[in-house]
Amino acid sequence: LYILSYVFASLLVATFLGHFFHKLIRLLKIDVNYDVFRFAYQWNYYFKGEILSTRDFKGSKRRQEGRVLSTEVDVLVEDGNGSTKMISGFLTQYTISSKTGELETLYLTEPKRFSQSVKEFKEIPSDCLIIQYSRIVDLNLRYNIQAIDKSRKVVIISDIITVIGLIGVLFLLVYPWFLEANII
């Protein structure tokens, strides 16, 4: 019974700590600044606008503190006849191949295509336009950014301190129990 309780408690603590550190790394954007913590799929950082927070974009005029509300995509797509079409829309979703890690498809809402005859974008009657990445020639991303309120940062920091305090209390409650359990 003690061994089973010990194994269960160890798994519970490991699961909790793994989840906590994942959330902490994402919240503090440690993965954005340090390559070792990054996801294997880099597209997440491009499509969520987190790439603007990296050192590579330090001098960029688009780099600013704030939250990315949406990502607009301009795509130059091969149409199969040797010509290309320009399509623009809001990036809603994307899929990545689990085998290769390559981008497979983009899902755009409110899509528009550029008309050469009228020299402007015309709406495509579609709720969701799915574009295969293999047909994409060129890809441009634009981020709609909302400036961050400084008081929001204070709330986030206080939440982090609260979670660290809860972990400390959990450790103080569980650790003496482990010392009293004579498993060996």
Side-chain angles (χ1 to χ4, degrees):
L1 183 63
Y2 283 120
I3 292 173
L4 187 61
S5 300
Y6 179 77
V7 169
F8 180 72
S10 296
L11 289 173
L12 189 65
V13 169
T15 302
F16 175 75
L17 288 176
H19 180 73
F20 168 74
F21 282 114
H22 171 75
K23 293 292 185 187
L24 185 66
I25 285 171
R26 292 294 297 147
L27 181 67
L28 298 177
K29 296 187 177 185
I30 295 170
D31 59 329
V32 174
N33 296 319
Y34 300 101
D35 294 344
V36 74
F37 291 107
R38 284 196 187 160
F39 294 121
Y41 310 122
Q42 293 292 322
W43 287 107
N44 182 60
Y45 298 103
Y46 290 108
F47 292 147
K48 302 287 184 190
E50 294 175 352
I51 197 71
L52 295 176
S53 299
T54 62
R55 287 183 220 110
D56 298 335
F57 285 84
K58 196 168 208 140
S60 172
K61 62 183 175 182
R62 290 283 296 165
R63 181 183 167 139
Q64 65 183 20
E65 288 291 319
R67 184 174 65 115
V68 175
L69 298 175
S70 62
T71 303
E72 292 183 61
V73 181
D74 299 322
V75 183
L76 196 58
V77 181
E78 275 184 17
D79 67 355
N81 298 330
S83 62
T84 57
K85 293 181 182 177
M86 173 74 118
I87 298 174
S88 183
F90 288 98
L91 180 68
T92 306
Q93 190 59 265
Y94 58 93
T95 57
I96 296 177
S97 170
S98 60
K99 294 178 183 175
T100 63
E102 294 294 320
L103 187 62
E104 287 184 340
T105 53
L106 295 176
Y107 300 87
L108 304 181
T109 55
E110 299 181 29
K112 300 174 203 148
R113 75 172 170 79
F114 187 76
S115 172
Q116 289 289 348
S117 59
V118 237
K119 302 290 185 204
E120 67 180 33
F121 281 96
K122 295 201 166 215
E123 284 192 36
I124 299 172
S126 171
D127 291 323
C128 181
L129 181 67
I130 302 170
I131 301 173
Q132 295 293 326
Y133 184 69
S134 59
R135 299 187 63 187
I136 295 176
V137 176
D138 197 11
L139 182 68
N140 178 49
L141 303 174
R142 288 175 282 135
Y143 306 111
N144 297 317
I145 299 173
Q146 177 186 30
I148 194 165
D149 184 14
K150 296 297 180 187
S151 64
R152 173 96 172 114
K153 283 188 174 184
V154 172
V155 170
I156 290 171
I157 291 171
S158 68
D159 287 347
I160 291 170
I161 291 171
T162 303
V163 169
I164 290 172
L166 288 173
I167 289 173
V169 168
L170 177 68
F171 179 76
L172 291 174
L173 290 175
V174 173
Y175 185 70
W177 183 81
F178 281 128
L179 291 177
E180 289 181 17
N182 295 325
I183 297 172
I184 301 177

